């Protein structure tokens, strides 16, 4: 717990002993100034811990001290692991507490992610989740909040990838003489992997084979994977009726309707979709869920009162 000399909880980190900041395009964690000098080990990195064991029934329980890594060492290791996760800088400050839910589905998504993060069973079987919904509805926010908690509070190793950027990284690796397996390997083995923008891309053979290999490796190893996607999780495409009373549809209407009804199942194929059904709990946000980024922009753009405020007649 980060405290000031007076014993009060640190106002900078809120007692967490670490801070998360935006550094360039990545989220970065560091030790808070309140905990830079450890009061337990005074910078040595180790502290004595009292233990009790019974070595002899005749003698009974016996207490003794052992030298163990100090809590500051565990914190430093977790911070180092967090800085390898690869979370985007734009979600550096995203936590469960500042996620805004505008409908029941968003509230359910937040509760699902919170329950997953706070009840993760280390060494056990943990079913992941996949969040589907329109852009700007907080899916990446919830992925980031979940991964932060797992790494910094639970002590897991995790990674975050946006799928189209992963494809680009592998292509660049080919030019450097690396194989796709070299890049996918660490993502296959990490305890928890968060994949954002699932289904995005051109759908080329290279992309499908890369995604299939990554999901297959994690599925076969029983590893936990989290997803976010803009595509519907529905198993079948719903028929779309034209909104025009005459039945006439423009080309743009047809494109919009096709995009709105496009399914993740169609984007990733039957094999991957079937495995997702077993690996994850599904939550789909309705199409009318508001785009929070757009809402903030519109509020910023909305003209305010003239300088000095409004004045009534005769005043």
């Amino acid at each position: 717990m980060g405290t000031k000399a007076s014993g009060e909880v640190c106002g900078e980190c809120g007692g967490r002993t670490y801070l998360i900041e935006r550094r360039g395009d990545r989220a970065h964690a560091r030790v808070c100034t309140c905990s830079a000098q450890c009061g337990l080990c005074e910078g040595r990195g180790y502290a004595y811990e009292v233990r009790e064991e019974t070595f002899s029934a005749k003698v009974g329980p016996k207490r003794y001290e052992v030298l163990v890594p100090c809590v500051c060492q565990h914190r430093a290791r977790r911070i180092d692991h967090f800085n390898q996760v690869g979370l985007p800088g734009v979600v550096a400050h995203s936590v469960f507490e500042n996620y805004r839910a505008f409908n029941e589905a968003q509230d359910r998504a937040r509760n699902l992610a919170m329950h997953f993060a706070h009840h993760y069973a280390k060494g056990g079987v943990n079913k992941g989740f996949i969040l589907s919904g329109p852009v700007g509805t907080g899916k990446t926010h919830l992925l980031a909040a979940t991964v932060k908690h797992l790494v910094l509070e639970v002590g897991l190793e995790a990674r975050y990838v946006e799928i189209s950027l992963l494809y680009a990284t592998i292509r660049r690796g080919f030019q450097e003489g690396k194989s796709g397996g070299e890049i996918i390997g660490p993502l296959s083995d990490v305890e928890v992997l968060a994949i954002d923008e699932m289904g995005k891309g051109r759908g080329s053979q290279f992309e499908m084979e890369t995604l299939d290999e990554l999901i297959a490796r994690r599925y076969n190893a029983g590893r936990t994977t989290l997803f976010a996607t803009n595509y519907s999780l529905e198993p079948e495409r719903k028929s779309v009726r034209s909104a025009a009373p005459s039945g006439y549809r423009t080309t743009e209407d047809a494109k919009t309707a096709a995009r709105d009804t496009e399914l993740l199942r169609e984007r990733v194929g039957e094999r991957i979709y079937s495995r997702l059904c077993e690996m994850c709990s599904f939550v789909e946000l309705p199409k009318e869920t508001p785009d929070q980024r757009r809402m903030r922009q519109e509020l910023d753009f909305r003209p305010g009162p003239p300088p000095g405020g409004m004045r009534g007649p005769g005043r």
Side-chain angles (χ1 to χ4, degrees):
M1 179 70 71
T3 58
K4 300 178 181 179
S6 62
E8 297 177 359
V9 174
C10 174
E12 190 175 10
C13 70
R16 292 187 302 272
T17 72
Y18 60 84
L19 295 168
I20 301 177
E21 305 166 329
R22 181 172 183 170
R23 286 195 183 180
D25 64 345
R26 288 287 180 263
H28 183 87
R30 65 174 176 85
V31 176
C32 181
T33 53
C34 73
S35 302
Q37 181 64 36
C38 181
L40 295 176
C41 70
E42 298 181 347
R44 290 187 292 268
Y46 291 88
Y48 284 102
E49 178 181 276
V50 177
R51 295 181 181 177
E52 183 177 299
E53 287 190 40
T54 300
F55 299 99
S56 167
K58 183 177 180 180
V59 176
K62 188 174 182 180
R63 302 182 72 186
Y64 61 97
E65 289 185 331
V66 294
L67 195 63
V68 296
C70 182
V71 292
C72 66
Q73 294 283 74
H74 295 298
R75 179 180 59 229
R77 190 178 303 111
R78 291 181 181 192
I79 287 175
D80 181 60
H81 287 164
F82 178 83
N83 292 333
Q84 298 175 36
V85 169
L87 281 178
V90 70
V91 291
H93 303 293
S94 296
V95 292
F96 294 121
E97 290 75 15
N98 60 20
Y99 178 80
R100 295 186 64 190
F102 292 91
N103 54 42
E104 187 273 337
Q106 282 184 300
D107 197 47
R108 187 169 69 252
R110 177 181 55 195
N111 291 339
L112 172 69
M114 285 182 62
H115 186 274
F116 173 87
H118 289 281
H119 294 84
Y120 187 91
K122 296 184 71 172
V125 177
N126 299 273
K127 190 172 186 178
F129 59 79
I130 179 166
L131 307 176
S132 165
V135 297
T137 51
K139 301 183 299 297
T140 303
H141 183 130
L142 291 177
L143 284 186
T146 302
V147 170
K148 282 181 188 178
H149 183 88
L150 292 177
V151 176
L152 293 169
E153 301 297 335
V154 181
L156 301 184
E157 290 191 48
R159 293 289 185 277
Y160 166 94
V161 293
E162 184 182 319
I163 197 65
S164 59
L165 296 183
L166 174 61
Y167 297 147
T169 299
I170 295 175
R171 289 190 180 98
R172 286 195 301 271
F174 289 157
Q175 298 174 358
E176 299 169 1
K178 297 179 182 178
S179 68
E182 289 181 72
I183 299 172
I184 288 178
L187 299 178
S188 305
D189 298 334
V190 72
E191 190 162 358
V192 175
L193 176 65
I195 300 179
D196 208 350
E197 301 287 358
M198 182 70 161
K200 186 177 180 181
R202 294 175 293 183
S204 66
Q205 182 178 352
F206 158 74
E207 292 178 352
M208 292 299 98
E209 289 177 351
T210 298
L211 183 60
D212 184 69
E213 180 180 352
L214 177 57
I215 300 300
R217 285 192 184 190
R218 295 193 62 81
Y219 173 83
N220 292 333
R223 303 200 186 280
T224 305
T225 313
L226 314 176
F227 302 89
T229 181
N230 294 331
Y231 296 98
S232 173
L233 302 177
E234 293 289 339
E236 296 180 1
R237 184 186 291 268
K238 296 179 180 178
S239 60
V240 179
R241 299 176 61 183
S242 172
S246 63
Y248 172 76
R249 297 175 69 187
T250 65
T251 302
E252 189 59 34
D253 288 337
K255 289 181 179 179
T256 301
R259 184 169 58 250
D260 288 345
T261 59
E262 197 163 8
L263 307 178
L264 181 64
R265 177 182 178 181
E266 298 171 342
R267 297 292 302 177
V268 302
E270 293 291 338
R271 174 185 169 92
I272 293 176
Y273 181 81
S274 175
R275 287 178 170 174
L276 294 181
C277 291
E278 184 176 341
M279 296 168 70
C280 299
S281 299
F282 285 18
V283 177
E284 182 152 8
L285 307 179
K287 290 188 294 183
E288 60 272 16
T289 304
D291 182 337
Q292 297 182 34
R293 292 189 289 263
R294 185 172 176 179
M295 287 177 64
R296 286 195 294 268
Q297 191 277 336
E298 290 172 349
L299 287 173
D300 292 341
F301 183 74
R302 186 177 298 169
M310 296 291 292
R311 297 193 177 190
R315 297 185 63 186

